[in-house]
Amino acid sequence: MRNFQHRERGEKRESNQMVFGIRAVIEAIDSGKEIESLFVQRGLSGSLFLELKSLLKEHNMGYQQVPIEKLNRITRKNHQGVIAIISPITYQHIEDLLPVIYERGETPLLLMLDGVTDVRNMGAIARTAECAGVHAIIVPKKGSAEINPDAIKTSAGALYKIPVCREDALGRTARFLIESGVQLVVGTEKTQDSVYDVDYTVPTCIVLGAEDVGVSDDLIRVSDKLAKIPMFGEIKSLNVSVSAGIVIYEAIRQRHK
């Protein structure tokens, strides 16, 4: 019941599709293709490129400026200085999904990943989240792991099944969730409260960050609860995918007690 993505049978793809050439990339964006990465040659100019830049601005899409050598390593075909990688999944928006979850009479359980850039961590987290019945994963449009073949493989196909919401600004998304009755529980070491002391039986979004910098201060400021995983050894940090599993299954334990 959680699969909001509409795929025809046999449509799964195990690799990202590449589109190259300015006109081809413009047509891909116009047709609604999900652009995972966009590489543009440094110093590129011309009327057609200006048309592409205008379209990117209209869709609030960024791109990476790279030397031509990098583009040539990706493909030796006539790329005209522009290569786009199409995502193997269709991204969702939490503003569309949340009302559906409430309408089905379910208590939302969401996962927000702030700055998790390792694709294997993303895949492992998605696999755990899908197994646990998490309704959706929320990631930022910038500064998040690509959904590529490595991520898909590590997730054991879970990324085809669980909705992934790619949002422009996590701070704005967090405020929307709070206004919609969803509590934000941020996993952080900046507290004495344990993840086991939080009530997850209410609508909840668990927020986790990158292992090196953690969750951003902006999200910490608007959160409802701060919680940490107790540590008893000499090493004081866990892999983020392991942390996600611990917190998600504490929420499941409480909801199915």
Side-chain angles (χ1 to χ4, degrees):
M1 293 296 293
R2 289 168 292 108
N3 187 1
F4 295 85
Q5 301 178 38
H6 303 286
R7 291 186 173 274
E8 298 297 329
R9 184 173 297 173
E11 188 186 346
K12 289 182 180 179
R13 291 169 292 177
E14 297 302 332
S15 62
N16 291 44
Q17 178 186 353
M18 180 173 63
V19 176
F20 51 85
I22 301 176
R23 175 56 64 189
V25 171
I26 288 173
E27 291 175 355
I29 296 171
D30 277 336
S31 67
K33 298 289 187 183
E34 297 279 4
I35 306 298
E36 189 69 41
S37 303
L38 180 59
F39 303 102
V40 175
Q41 179 183 333
R42 287 197 186 113
L44 197 62
S45 60
S47 59
L48 196 56
F49 176 60
L50 291 177
E51 182 182 341
L52 173 61
K53 283 185 69 175
S54 176
L55 187 63
L56 294 175
K57 185 176 181 181
E58 178 185 336
H59 289 268
N60 192 27
M61 294 173 57
Y63 59 90
Q64 300 179 49
Q65 290 186 311
V66 299
I68 191 171
E69 291 78 13
K70 177 166 183 174
L71 298 176
N72 289 339
R73 285 195 298 270
I74 298 174
T75 179
R76 297 297 298 181
K77 295 182 180 180
N78 183 22
H79 50 66
Q80 299 177 304
V82 177
I83 298 175
I85 307 298
I86 308 300
S87 174
I89 69 169
T90 300
Y91 287 103
Q92 313 288 317
H93 290 288
I94 195 61
E95 290 88 348
D96 301 325
L97 297 187
L98 191 59
V100 176
I101 298 168
Y102 278 127
E103 286 167 8
R104 292 203 306 250
E106 299 176 8
T107 303
L109 180 59
L110 310 169
L111 180 63
M112 181 182 289
L113 301 178
D114 179 22
V116 175
T117 57
D118 186 276
V119 295
R120 290 177 177 83
N121 278 337
M122 172 65 77
I125 291 168
R127 183 174 184 173
T128 299
E130 202 284 329
C131 287
V134 171
H135 290 97
I137 298 172
I138 303 168
V139 299
K141 185 170 286 187
K142 296 180 181 179
S144 180
E146 290 186 6
I147 306 301
N148 62 18
D150 282 341
I152 297 289
K153 182 178 180 180
T154 309
S155 78
L159 282 165
Y160 287 130
K161 301 178 181 298
I162 187 168
V164 179
C165 302
R166 187 166 64 172
E167 307 295 345
D168 290 329
L170 291 187
R172 183 165 63 243
T173 301
R175 288 188 288 273
F176 164 77
L177 292 174
I178 292 170
E179 291 167 1
S180 302
V182 178
Q183 70 167 350
L184 254 66
V185 179
V186 171
T188 176
E189 293 300 306
K190 300 177 181 178
T191 181
Q192 295 302 313
D193 297 330
S194 168
V195 294
Y196 302 114
D197 296 328
V198 177
D199 180 6
Y200 300 98
T201 61
V202 300
T204 299
C205 179
I206 298 165
V207 185
L208 298 174
E211 295 167 36
D212 52 348
V213 295
V215 176
S216 67
D217 290 338
D218 288 344
L219 290 175
I220 288 176
R221 277 193 292 269
V222 301
S223 66
D224 297 288
K225 298 275 179 23
L226 303 180
K228 69 177 182 179
I229 298 172
M231 302 286 176
F232 303 103
E234 294 184 19
I235 298 175
K236 298 300 181 183
S237 66
L238 292 170
N239 176 276
V240 66
S241 65
V242 174
S243 297
I246 291 171
V247 184
I248 288 170
Y249 270 93
E250 170 60 17
I252 298 305
R253 184 192 69 81
Q254 290 186 19
R255 291 184 177 208
H256 293 272
K257 185 165 35 173

